[in-house]
Amino acid sequence: MAASDVKLLGTSPSPYVNRVQIALNLKSIEFEFLEETFGAKSELLLKSNPIHKKIPVMIHNDKPICESLIIVQYIDEVWTSGPTILPSDPYDRAMARFWAAFVEDKWYPTLKELRMAEGEEAKTAALEKLMEMMTLWEDAFAKCGKGKGFFGGECIGYLDIAFGSFLGWLKVTEEMLEIKLIDEAKTPGLAGWAERFCSHEAVKGVIPETEKLIELLKKFQAMAKAQSQN
Amino acid sequence: MAASDVKLLGTSPSPYVNRVQIALNLKSIEFEFLEETFGAKSELLLKSNPIHKKIPVMIHNDKPICESLIIVQYIDEVWTSGPTILPSDPYDRAMARFWAAFVEDKWYPTLKELRMAEGEEAKTAALEKLMEMMTLWEDAFAKCGKGKGFFGGECIGYLDIAFGSFLGWLKVTEEMLEIKLIDEAKTPGLAGWAERFCSHEAVKGVIPETEKLIELLKKFQAMAKAQSQN
């Protein structure tokens, strides 16, 4: 394949952007990271994703591709010589897609709900809902990973990327609320997986450190507060 | 391939279920349709989709697959000898997936908003938003379909199924509000496509007639009203 021109528009703390970074790293694809500024949208972003105006956008040989999981699938389908990201068996693929959709539609909204919950009652309700989901994840890990190291089996795959990209924000929530969402006692499978995922060559340095994310979150909250007082 | 045992759990007026029916028809796969009762959930449904408890569920050789677009992709990947549903080119696949996600996340919620809008102001706002989207669709049809008959080119493909399955409910909205969302003047590409899609062998008889859907909707509305008065 001829050398490709790959650009990624995004910001480093975005789990959605992290997904694309990890997929590109897995396939050993060189790319130019074009950092977007918070609160502003570059001309290139608006031109490349006129419908949603959102990051990430990957531009491959001048063609823009939007939406993180669609980009990850595209990467898998274009660079077929690297490690495969989607499982090869259609049923396993369907399961990986099912749980990836669960991250988007149910799990992450609940994690966010917990982080933003005001008052003990709301916090307890969100935490309970999330802990039930963590049990589902423990079970999904056993089924999808088939007793191997990752959701994708022996290697990082689609679901590892879809779910693992949120481990930074999961840790932020754990630290801020002084709780444990993944631990050796209740979710031993996930605990080992999270450790392996974060220290994988393709992931290391991509997901920002928890302290940095907390700092960023505090900055956002202060900005939002200042805006609401104006 | 050995004979397969395919069951589909669903209800006929559901566009999500219709997607699976159309994909199975396209691939000439025989299947058993297990009609769910409105307002009730069968034991088999609860067992097959314990996470979302929603139709459609396709059971293939005793393995359940959930979520309409995931099922359609599964069908395409398992029965490779029939006509292909996803485009073969990775970029075209990414575009088809992008617009299919647009149906779920933006377009159908707006169609529903319009149908449920109370008061002229809300109705006008929703209609305006939807008409802007119909222009986007006209453009997407030209780009994805490349001047051929369907979003998938010469044959019905993934995006045709994802979007086309909603044509019944689109017509319901047109009739009930006495408006035109797809017409020869403003969206000539879509108008021709909708006609071709609905009269395609794989689609005919799947999407219920507009009158039947309106009747059903009125029944639902009456039931909801009666419940709210109790």
Side-chain angles (χ1 to χ4, degrees), chain B residues 65-199:
Chain B
I65 304 114
C66 309
E67 308 261 17
S68 65
L69 292 178
I70 294 176
I71 303 173
V72 170
Q73 288 178 84
Y74 175 84
I75 290 169
D76 198 31
E77 291 167 359
V78 168
W79 289 282
T80 48
S81 60
T84 55
I85 294 177
L86 263 296
S88 56
D89 176 74
Y91 190 76
D92 292 343
R93 288 164 82 92
M95 287 303 101
R97 287 185 176 125
F98 175 86
W99 286 104
F102 182 78
V103 175
E104 311 295 87
D105 303 336
K106 304 283 176 189
W107 182 81
Y108 184 58
T110 310
L111 183 75
K112 220 166 155 182
E113 190 186 320
L114 173 62
R115 205 174 60 222
M116 321 265 280
E118 289 188 17
E120 274 313 300
E121 205 175 321
K123 196 176 133 184
T124 307
L127 182 58
E128 203 169 299
K129 205 159 73 173
L130 196 67
M131 288 315 295
E132 273 175 32
M133 290 183 184
M134 298 315 294
T135 311
L136 294 178
W137 275 118
E138 182 71 10
D139 191 42
F141 178 69
K143 282 185 187 148
C144 296
K146 297 167 186 170
K148 293 168 186 168
F150 296 100
F151 280 95
E154 275 162 18
C155 302
I156 281 187
Y158 185 68
L159 183 52
D160 295 283
I161 296 174
F163 185 30
S165 55
F166 282 100
L167 284 172
W169 288 103
L170 179 141
K171 286 178 193 161
V172 166
T173 313
E174 287 186 328
E175 283 221 9
M176 289 180 72
L177 303 182
E178 297 177 358
I179 53 169
K180 270 298 198 188
L181 297 169
I182 291 182
D183 70 28
E184 275 298 343
K186 281 190 207 153
T187 55
L190 288 183
W193 164 76
E195 187 89 24
R196 277 187 296 278
F197 182 80
C198 290
S199 56

Side-chain angles (χ1 to χ4, degrees), chain A residues 49 51-52 54 63-67 70 73-74 77-78 89-95 97-99 101-102 105-106 136, chain B residues 49 51-52 54 63-67 70 73-74 77-78 89-95 97-99 101-102 105-106 136:
Chain A
N49 189 358
I51 308 290
H52 302 303
K54 282 195 317 191
K63 284 179 167 177
I65 304 113
C66 309
E67 308 262 13
I70 294 176
Q73 289 179 84
Y74 175 85
E77 290 167 359
V78 168
D89 175 75
Y91 190 77
D92 293 342
R93 290 164 80 91
M95 287 304 102
R97 287 187 176 123
F98 176 86
W99 286 104
F102 182 78
D105 302 337
K106 305 281 176 189
L136 295 178
Chain B
N49 189 0
I51 308 289
H52 302 303
K54 281 194 318 190
K63 286 180 168 178
I65 304 114
C66 309
E67 308 261 17
I70 294 176
Q73 288 178 84
Y74 175 84
E77 291 167 359
V78 168
D89 176 74
Y91 190 76
D92 292 343
R93 288 164 82 92
M95 287 303 101
R97 287 185 176 125
F98 175 86
W99 286 104
F102 182 78
D105 303 336
K106 304 283 176 189
L136 294 178

